[in-house]
Amino acid sequence: MEYLSRILKGLKQAKEYKFHPRCGKLNITHLSFADDLLMFARGDSKSVQTLHTCFKQFSAASGLLANLTKSAIYFGGVALNVKVEILQNTGYSPGDFPFKYLGITLDTKKSTALQWQPLIEKTVIRISSCITRKLSYAGRVQLVQTMIFDIQSYWSQVFILPAKVMKSNKSYSRSYIWSGTNIITKRALIAWEKCVCLNQLEVITY
């Protein structure tokens, strides 16, 4: 992958290659993590073909080939005849937005409430297993702090999470801590109506 990165970074010297409009200032040609790879180019035949040639050079040297059933090209604002030409030259199929990359749903438009559902579902799945539902109060607190909040933090590195999503995630976590259930409840281990809060405490000594 380091060899592939060096080849793709060298594209900025190629006259036939043009950066994606949103990637030019940062000189971004690709993003990669393990075997997940995103490559960016302007939506013209020469740029995409130059990018594809670099990848074929990497394949010839390493023996690693792209899985055509799991690979796709995503277009934005590209004429139909140019799309057809690019697809014929590369052999990939056209992809549709939104799609997932490293578990995160990516789209060119503002995310809808339905697209945030996987984040909430991940929280519910974590607290629904037989093992986690048998944890003690301290164990449930530890699970929420280490695992559930980490999932939310991972998503927030990419997106600004809507307040509604954060509130829902918080409600599930709170209900799980207090009652050990995977549904939103208002139960609590403390009888708040019987608690007395002291706003000011005065100590008088003689």
Side-chain angles (χ1 to χ4, degrees):
M1 297 306 294
E2 292 181 1
Y3 172 60
L4 176 61
S5 294
R6 289 200 300 269
I7 295 176
L8 294 177
K9 287 180 181 179
L11 284 172
K12 59 184 179 180
Q13 307 297 335
K15 295 181 180 179
E16 297 81 6
Y17 174 81
K18 303 297 181 183
F19 284 98
H20 185 280
R22 296 295 181 91
C23 302
K25 292 183 179 180
L26 299 176
N27 292 334
I28 296 176
T29 58
H30 68 289
L31 295 174
S32 63
F33 181 84
D35 58 348
D36 291 317
L37 175 66
L38 289 177
M39 297 187 293
F40 306 96
R42 181 178 292 180
D44 60 75
S45 298
K46 287 186 178 180
S47 296
V48 176
Q49 186 60 39
T50 305
L51 184 67
H52 188 53
T53 300
C54 285
F55 186 79
K56 289 193 295 184
Q57 179 183 346
F58 163 76
S59 296
S62 65
L64 299 175
L65 302 176
N67 188 337
L68 296 181
T69 61
K70 296 182 179 179
S71 304
I73 298 182
Y74 298 89
F75 297 96
V78 180
L80 180 59
N81 61 322
V82 178
K83 288 183 182 180
V84 174
E85 183 180 354
I86 291 175
L87 293 174
Q88 289 177 345
N89 292 336
T90 59
Y92 297 115
S93 58
D96 297 321
F97 289 100
F99 68 94
K100 285 189 176 182
Y101 178 69
L102 302 180
I104 301 295
T105 301
L106 301 181
D107 199 354
T108 57
K109 301 178 181 178
K110 184 178 180 180
S111 299
T112 63
L114 183 62
Q115 292 173 358
W116 290 106
Q117 193 61 30
L119 174 58
I120 300 175
E121 290 177 353
K122 286 181 180 293
T123 299
V124 177
I125 290 174
R126 292 294 187 279
I127 63 178
S128 297
S129 66
C130 296
I131 297 176
T132 56
R133 295 183 69 176
K134 293 180 180 180
L135 292 176
S136 63
Y137 173 78
R140 295 197 295 268
V141 172
Q142 186 69 20
L143 177 68
V144 169
Q145 289 179 338
T146 58
M147 186 177 294
I148 295 178
F149 282 174
D150 282 350
I151 295 175
Q152 182 172 299
S153 298
Y154 175 70
W155 280 61
S156 62
Q157 292 177 9
V158 184
F159 304 107
I160 299 177
L161 300 182
K164 184 177 180 180
V165 175
M166 296 184 65
K167 183 178 180 180
S168 179
N169 213 32
K170 183 178 180 181
S171 296
Y172 276 108
S173 300
R174 182 178 61 247
S175 298
Y176 171 68
I177 289 176
W178 289 120
S179 58
T181 62
N182 60 351
I183 58 175
I184 297 177
T185 64
K186 294 185 178 181
R187 293 180 55 191
L189 298 180
I190 298 177
W192 296 106
E193 67 276 3
K194 298 181 181 180
C195 289
V196 178
C197 298
L198 299 178
N199 294 327
Q200 182 177 0
L201 179 63
E202 296 181 359
V203 179
I204 302 176
T205 58
Y206 296 92

